[in-house]
Structures are given as structure tokens and as C-alpha cells.
Amino acid sequence: MRKDGTAVVKLLDGQEFDFDDQWRMSGTGTWELTDRDIGWGDGQHVSLNVTRRTSSAWREVKGTEEGAMGSTDLREPAPDAYTWTLELERGDKGLALYFFFSDPDSRNTYYLEKERPTAESSGPSSSAVPAEGMVR
């Protein structure tokens, strides 16, 4: 998420029940901090809107066999565009962004983190650091 309101995501899973479809999306779009009542918690939220999908992939589901999941041909691809509503949490390490995955009543949380710079880079640039999902 960049200061100018643009965003790049890399292999981000779907929110809430869309997570169960097992797709992951990479793409570009925009983000905005909003006071609109769009999330599960009180207060402000971030609306992350990917308007251009650059790729999609399937999550590997450990402990299952393809036959138990059904034919992979029946799965829907990631959508061409998608909007996440991100909750905000202030903790000891600063502000954290997350969304709920699978059944939102179960409160399974998917936290986003900045991609860490590689050793050969000279450090992160705010315009070149995509948000990437991390389940914890």
C-alpha cells in the first residue's frame, strides 16, 4: 500500500467465505482509509480494491488429496477485480491490518505484512513494497 493511495498485492487470499474457494490473487489497485461502517469492528477501516488482476493461483491444502477435494477443473478462478475490507488493530508493534477468513463468525484472522526487502536491495521503497497476506 503506497502513500499515494495505490496498492499492489501478491498472492492474497479471498476474504470471509471467498477464502474457502482457495484462490490467491496478485494485482494492482487502490486503497483508502474510511469512516464508513463497512467492517466488523468499530472505527475506521481500510478498503483495498484490486481493479486489475495480474495473476492468480490455488492455495495448497495440506492433508487432503485431490480426489477428496473434487476435480480442480470445477474450481472458479480468482475474480478479475476484488475488494477487501481490512480491520485495524493497534498493538505493541504498531498498527496491524487484517481481515477475517472463512466463516467470519469464527473470527479467523489473516494479517497483512509488508514484503521484506531482499538482501541485495538497498532497502525498501514506499512505492515498491507490496502488501502480502500472512495467516497467523
Side-chain angles (χ1 to χ4, degrees), residues 41-95:
D42 294 331
Q44 294 180 313
H45 293 83
V46 172
S47 179
L48 174 61
N49 187 17
V50 172
T51 55
R52 184 175 158 272
R53 184 183 77 194
T54 56
S55 70
S56 65
W58 297 105
R59 246 187 359 229
E60 289 185 33
V61 180
K62 297 185 185 209
T64 62
E65 296 179 24
E66 184 177 332
M69 294 175 51
S71 171
T72 57
D73 296 336
L74 299 177
R75 294 190 290 190
E76 294 292 324
D80 291 330
Y82 193 81
T83 300
W84 287 264
T85 298
L86 305 178
E87 306 288 329
L88 304 168
E89 177 183 280
R90 187 168 306 279
D92 295 338
K93 295 182 179 182
L95 193 62

Side-chain angles (χ1 to χ4, degrees), residues 1-60:
M1 296 168 63
R2 300 173 179 150
K3 291 180 182 181
D4 67 357
T6 61
V8 176
V9 299
K10 180 180 173 186
L11 298 175
L12 192 58
D13 289 300
Q15 181 173 335
E16 298 175 358
F17 289 111
D18 291 337
F19 179 86
D20 298 334
D21 291 337
Q22 301 177 17
W23 53 259
R24 287 185 162 165
M25 174 192 276
S26 296
T28 59
T30 60
W31 68 274
E32 72 170 329
L33 181 65
T34 180
D35 290 326
R36 292 189 317 269
D37 187 20
I38 59 173
W40 288 91
D42 294 331
Q44 294 180 313
H45 293 83
V46 172
S47 179
L48 174 61
N49 187 17
V50 172
T51 55
R52 184 175 158 272
R53 184 183 77 194
T54 56
S55 70
S56 65
W58 297 105
R59 246 187 359 229
E60 289 185 33

